[in-house]
């Protein structure tokens, strides 16, 4: 390909042409599908996956419901923080989009006038995936797979270099993981308070799950009452 000759020995550009070359060889209808998936579809899939995980957590209930929901709340917050962190990074690096510097690319999405490094789409999907992993490992693995596919699609579409994607995946992971201890410390007590609320408790655990927890004495409020009663019995015994 002509693009490879222009790219020299830069593996980033070589890989860009190799992956984007698949779009040239694919039928137009397939490229339209990839355009939609890469621009909107995978982001929507990640949101639906988070909602699916939340639905399963609240139906199951139990002692881990509040921390799990806290992790799910942290997932979109981490994505938002990562995008904000990316703003000064893009302004500092000022890397043009690949189609501005390299000829012969098959660009599936037009109108991209901002800088290329790092990829917002890769950043958002990976931050969501890592937050999801903190709540549920099985769902998190699926989410990480979606994030990797998102990164591939951005290069396939001709709007990012592979290193833009790698940078986005790393940024989303770093923000979601490094700030998770603080986020969980703040969000988990809030989720436990909501769980005890008569009106909003269903957001954390379904009604049946909360009633079962009360019967078993495993509800957060019930645990504290039982521990207090047990401590009183120990004091009397002493």
């Amino acid at each position: 390909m002509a693009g490879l000759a222009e790219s020299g020995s830069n593996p980033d550009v070589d890989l860009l042409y190799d992956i984007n070359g698949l779009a040239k060889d694919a039928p137009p209808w397939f490229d339209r599908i990839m355009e939609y998936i890469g621009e909107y579809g995978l982001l929507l899939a990640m949101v639906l996956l988070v909602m699916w995980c939340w639905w399963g957590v609240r139906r199951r209930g139990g002692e881990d419901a509040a921390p799990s929901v806290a992790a799910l709340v942290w997932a979109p917050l981490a994505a938002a923080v990562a995008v904000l962190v990316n703003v000064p990074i893009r302004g500092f690096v000022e890397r043009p989009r690949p189609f501005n510097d390299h000829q012969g690319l098959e660009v599936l999405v037009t109108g991209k006038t901002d800088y290329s490094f790092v990829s917002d789409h890769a950043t958002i999907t990976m931050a969501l995936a890592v937050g999801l992993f903190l709540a549920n490992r099985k769902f998190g693995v699926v989410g990480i797979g979606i994030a990797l596919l998102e990164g591939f699609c951005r290069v396939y579409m001709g709007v990012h270099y592979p290193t833009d994607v790698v940078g986005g995946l790393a940024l989303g992971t770093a923000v979601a993981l490094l700030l998770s201890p603080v986020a969980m410390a703040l969000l988990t007590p809030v989720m436990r308070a909501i769980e005890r609320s008569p009106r909003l408790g269903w957001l954390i655990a379904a009604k049946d799950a909360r009633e079962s927890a009360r019967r078993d004495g495993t509800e957060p409020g019930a645990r504290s009452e039982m521990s207090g009663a047990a401590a009183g019995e120990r004091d009397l015994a002493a």
Side-chain angles (χ1 to χ4, degrees), residues 86 90 93-100 113-120 158-165 168:
N86 189 29
R90 280 193 170 192
V93 177
E94 294 186 346
R95 186 184 203 182
R97 294 279 181 169
F99 51 77
N100 291 324
T113 59
D114 55 346
Y115 293 120
S116 185
F117 185 89
V118 298
S119 168
D120 276 339
V159 295
H160 280 294
Y161 293 94
T163 47
D164 297 338
V165 169

Side-chain angles (χ1 to χ4, degrees), residues 126-143:
M126 184 54 83
L128 287 170
V130 173
L132 191 58
F133 187 85
L134 296 175
N136 184 289
R137 291 189 177 183
K138 291 182 179 179
F139 279 89
V141 169
V142 175

Side-chain angles (χ1 to χ4, degrees), residues 122-182:
T123 300
I124 292 171
T125 51
M126 184 54 83
L128 287 170
V130 173
L132 191 58
F133 187 85
L134 296 175
N136 184 289
R137 291 189 177 183
K138 291 182 179 179
F139 279 89
V141 169
V142 175
I144 291 172
I146 292 176
L148 296 175
L149 180 58
E150 178 69 89
F152 174 84
C153 287
R154 302 307 289 177
V155 180
Y156 181 97
M157 294 159 62
V159 295
H160 280 294
Y161 293 94
T163 47
D164 297 338
V165 169
V166 173
L169 298 176
L171 177 59
T173 300
V175 170
L177 281 183
L178 294 179
L179 298 182
S180 63
V182 176

Side-chain angles (χ1 to χ4, degrees), residues 23-234:
K24 290 185 176 182
D25 299 332
W29 61 266
F30 184 80
D31 283 347
R32 298 289 77 78
I33 292 175
M34 290 293 287
E35 174 187 346
Y36 176 80
I37 290 175
E39 194 72 8
Y40 308 107
L42 293 175
L43 290 175
L44 177 60
M46 281 299 307
V47 172
L48 293 176
L49 192 63
V50 171
M51 295 298 294
W52 186 6
C53 184
W54 165 75
W55 187 259
V57 167
R58 67 175 294 274
R59 287 189 62 186
R60 184 172 62 252
E63 184 178 352
D64 296 331
S68 296
V69 175
L72 293 175
V73 172
W74 168 236
L77 293 177
V81 172
V83 170
L84 290 176
V85 172
N86 189 29
V87 172
I89 293 176
R90 280 193 170 192
F92 177 76
V93 177
E94 294 186 346
R95 186 184 203 182
R97 294 279 181 169
F99 51 77
N100 291 324
D101 290 342
H102 303 283
Q103 302 297 319
L105 292 174
E106 186 74 13
V107 183
L108 302 186
V109 179
T110 59
K112 300 289 185 181
T113 59
D114 55 346
Y115 293 120
S116 185
F117 185 89
V118 298
S119 168
D120 276 339
H121 281 71
T123 300
I124 292 171
T125 51
M126 184 54 83
L128 287 170
V130 173
L132 191 58
F133 187 85
L134 296 175
N136 184 289
R137 291 189 177 183
K138 291 182 179 179
F139 279 89
V141 169
V142 175
I144 291 172
I146 292 176
L148 296 175
L149 180 58
E150 178 69 89
F152 174 84
C153 287
R154 302 307 289 177
V155 180
Y156 181 97
M157 294 159 62
V159 295
H160 280 294
Y161 293 94
T163 47
D164 297 338
V165 169
V166 173
L169 298 176
L171 177 59
T173 300
V175 170
L177 281 183
L178 294 179
L179 298 182
S180 63
V182 176
M184 294 299 292
L186 295 174
L187 291 172
T188 300
V190 175
M191 296 304 113
R192 292 202 185 279
I194 294 175
E195 185 179 13
R196 293 191 294 269
S197 170
R199 293 185 178 181
L200 299 178
W202 62 272
L203 291 170
I204 311 301
K207 183 178 179 181
D208 293 343
R210 284 183 290 156
E211 289 178 350
S212 176
R214 289 192 188 99
R215 289 194 299 267
D216 298 340
T218 58
E219 191 185 29
R223 285 200 306 273
S224 61
E225 292 174 2
M226 289 184 64
S227 61
E233 290 177 1
R234 287 195 300 269

